[in-house]
Amino acid sequence: MLTVTDLTCERGGLPVLTGVSFDVAAGQALILRGPNGIGKTTLLRTLAGLQPAVAGHVTYPEDESAYASHADGIKTALSVTENLRFWADVYGADLPRDILETFDLADLAERLGGTLSAGQKRRLGLARLGVIGRKVLFLDEPTVSLDGFSVKLFAKWLQDTHLARGGVAVIATHIDLGLAAPELDLTPFKSDVDAGGGTDEAFL
């Protein structure tokens, strides 16, 4: 479902990763590894089409991807349920009946987004992925602010629902999610520090 061929991506006009190639089949996940600053976020943003690649090709079904970063995408003036209904409406999707229970949000259904703790906001942000129904997920440190119990909830949804239904996920994380997924160390793809860049686009 996802094929990456000889990809070069850049940050701030300088290449950070060169020659990245991999495939992720339907129903599988790939874990990105590497030290801070190696380019995991830059790679994910490039894969998601949020910034142009310097070279190479990325192939996956059109209009089937979603990118989730450290931002939770919460509307503070809306309740938990209203937040999820908002995203369902944006994507023309139905709100799954069990989504609140899946992410341990049932007791918070009427709470305003602005009153949630950091971990609760993160669970709500991740629950959005269960609403929009995109097959290809690019996830940048998705478990930030989550406790151990919530990490297991997310990993269970990812394995038993998203992947089980034929979705794929590329995940940058420093923790063990307990997934039966291969890992890709990005260190061998680190670009030469003297390599020239293709644009002067700022890194966001």
Side-chain angles (χ1 to χ4, degrees), residues 14 24 32 45 60 66-67 81 92 98 137 147 161 177 187 201:
L14 297 175
V24 186
L32 301 180
R45 286 175 53 82
Y60 53 81
Y67 171 76
T81 301
D98 60 347
L137 300 182
D147 58 22
T161 301
L177 294 175
T187 304
E201 178 186 0

Side-chain angles (χ1 to χ4, degrees), residues 6-86:
D6 204 21
L7 188 70
T8 295
C9 50
E10 65 181 6
R11 178 174 61 232
L14 297 175
V16 292
L17 296 170
T18 302
V20 180
S21 297
F22 60 82
D23 294 294
V24 186
Q28 294 185 346
L30 178 70
I31 307 298
L32 301 180
R33 299 292 194 193
N36 291 336
I38 192 68
K40 295 185 293 294
T41 295
T42 301
L43 175 59
L44 287 172
R45 286 175 53 82
T46 304
L47 294 175
L50 299 177
Q51 63 184 62
V54 177
H57 302 280
V58 180
T59 304
Y60 53 81
E62 186 176 2
D63 295 329
E64 280 291 351
S65 70
Y67 171 76
S69 65
H70 298 171
D72 296 313
I74 303 303
K75 293 188 174 296
T76 59
L78 298 183
S79 72
V80 166
T81 301
E82 289 169 338
N83 266 280
L84 294 178
R85 283 178 178 159
F86 169 82

Side-chain angles (χ1 to χ4, degrees), residues 176-187:
D176 181 7
L177 294 175
L179 299 175
E183 299 184 358
L184 178 65
D185 182 3
L186 296 180
T187 304

Side-chain angles (χ1 to χ4, degrees), residues 2 6 26 54-55 86 110 114-115 117 139 150 156 162 173 180 191 204:
L2 170 64
D6 204 21
V54 177
F86 169 82
E110 303 308 318
T115 69
S117 71
L139 308 177
S150 298
K156 179 175 175 57
H162 179 69
T173 181
S191 296
L204 299 176

Side-chain angles (χ1 to χ4, degrees), residues 119-192:
Q120 291 166 343
K121 288 179 180 177
R122 172 53 52 162
R123 294 207 309 274
L124 178 54
L126 293 174
R128 176 182 54 178
L129 300 176
V131 170
I132 64 177
R134 293 300 176 99
K135 289 285 189 181
V136 183
L137 300 182
F138 301 112
L139 308 177
D140 192 1
E141 297 291 350
T143 59
V144 169
S145 301
L146 293 185
D147 58 22
F149 174 75
S150 298
V151 169
K152 291 179 180 178
L153 282 180
F154 168 67
K156 179 175 175 57
W157 170 81
L158 193 62
Q159 184 75 67
D160 296 349
T161 301
H162 179 69
L163 299 180
R165 292 175 179 173
V168 306
V170 181
I171 311 166
T173 181
H174 291 286
I175 72 166
D176 181 7
L177 294 175
L179 299 175
E183 299 184 358
L184 178 65
D185 182 3
L186 296 180
T187 304
F189 303 104
K190 183 177 180 181
S191 296
D192 187 328

